[in-house]
Amino acid sequence: MSHSPSLPDRPRLELDPEMSEAERLEAIRQHYRRIVHVNDELEDRLEDAQGRRGDLKSDVDELKRENEVLKTSSLYIASVEEITDEGVVIKQHGNNQEVLTQAATRLDADLRPGDRVAINDSFAIQQTLDDETDSRAQAMEVTESPDVEYADIGGIDEQIREVREAVEDPLENPEQFEAVGVEPPSGVLLHGPPGTGKTMLAKAVANESDATFIKMAGSELVRKFIGEGSRLVRDLFELAAEREPAVIFIDEIDAVASKRTDSKTSGDAEVQRTMMQLLSEMDGFDERGEIRIIAATNRFDMLDEAILRPGRFDRLIEVPEPDVEGRERILEIHSQEMNVADDVDVSEIAADLEGYSGADIASIATEAGMFAIRDDRTEVVQEDFERAREKLQDVEGTDEQVIHYQY
Ligand SMILES: Nc1ncnc2c1ncn2[C@@H]1O[C@H](COP(=O)(O)OP(=O)(O)OP(=O)(O)O)[C@@H](O)[C@H]1O
């Protein structure tokens, strides 16, 4: 479709005082014809645009319908074997069943033998899937050396000490554990409210023990297609073995390891399978060498006890909301690069931030800097921090809500 974006020029009437009556009349006539012409052209374009709008709307409706279907049914993975006149031959992963089926109309032209597709309960192809590597990339984040240090984390010194003991020491001095004859803890579980530094802590310990940091988000795992969650868990441990020394960090572990629910939907069964895979990887952990595993959750109460048994996540570390000294330290950390006025009283600000997490305090520091910039100052003053706190409070609702996280 070629639609020129520019509109036709607006015709101009140019009358010269020297012109005779007849010439003026002719000029006005010509002008009138030009206006009519431009008007016709604009009407054509309007009609065209309305037509396109209709087309786009039906595309949107179609996509909405397909989206609804996708949301309501569970999907399975299959590969396209052959495209025939009667339909598409697919082979379902897992049971290797071959089926002749159909694809949603918009997929017809694009399907090729070898493609990975998602099919529904009645084998109809719902969508083509990205490369496997893409789904891995979405669920896993690999960093050779994360740029977080222990010194960047405020208010949880005791937790840092415990994590170092459980993760860093066994990575750096495995002989010592062997000599003494103790097994280092298998897995460390960090639990506590959101934004208290759990991810930072996992990154810092990977960095300071020169280990590759491999993060997997539990919530991503459960969004995957049937069969993919457990495969991703397997891949995760394989990748860690290739990159050792490595720290595996599973964020939001509650997404895959919640207490069993009574419902027997296929989604739940899939989550169970992913968790079983995780447990079996952890059970075979002894021979794995220099790999340590850390998980984090904001919902400790929801966890299935199976993952807390000895040999699994057997070192529990609570990461609480910071106390007043912790808040002061976090404020100092996050404002150390900022040009803060000498008379700013960090302890007074920290005292006012009861119930705020490290993440809240980090955004208060940034926001305080923004207030200074808005006022065209180069120095951040006490009042900027107060305004920043009020702003964050407005965003998050009342003070109450800031204090009572769901935990
Ligand atoms: N103790 C802390 N010291 C310094 N900064 C912190 C601390 N806690 C949180 N922050 C700031 O908040 C951001 C988010 O923290 P982090 O991702 O580690 O929290 P989390 O506990 O893993 O949260 P969630 O449970 O929501 O994943 C950090 O990047 C950092 O800027």
Side-chain angles (χ1 to χ4, degrees), residues 148 151-156 190 192-203 215 249 251-252 296-298 319-320 322 326 329-331 333-334 357-363:
V148 181
D152 299 330
I153 311 175
I156 50 173
L190 305 175
T196 45
K198 298 183 289 300
T199 308
M200 283 185 97
L201 189 48
K203 281 188 174 165
K215 175 177 161 179
F249 178 61
D251 201 5
E252 303 166 275
T297 181
N298 306 325
V319 185
R329 181 73 202 113
I330 298 172
L331 254 181
I333 291 170
H334 286 281
S357 69
D360 293 334
I361 296 171
S363 42

Side-chain angles (χ1 to χ4, degrees), residues 38 66 109 127 154 174 188 194 199 209 224 296 351 358 361 365 382-383 407:
V38 167
E66 284 181 17
Q127 67 184 100
V188 173
T199 308
S209 19
K224 297 294 165 205
I361 296 171
Q382 183 98 4
E383 201 201 337
Y407 175 58

Side-chain angles (χ1 to χ4, degrees), residues 62 65-66 102-111 125-126:
E62 161 103 21
R65 267 195 305 278
E66 284 181 17
Q102 305 297 331
T105 27
R106 85 192 144 78
L107 296 175
D108 256 359
D110 298 336
L111 284 177
I125 300 175
Q126 300 296 309

Side-chain angles (χ1 to χ4, degrees), residues 17 37 47 71 81 129 203 271 372:
H37 179 72
E47 206 171 301
K71 275 199 293 198
E81 296 276 295
L129 301 177
K203 281 188 174 165
V271 172

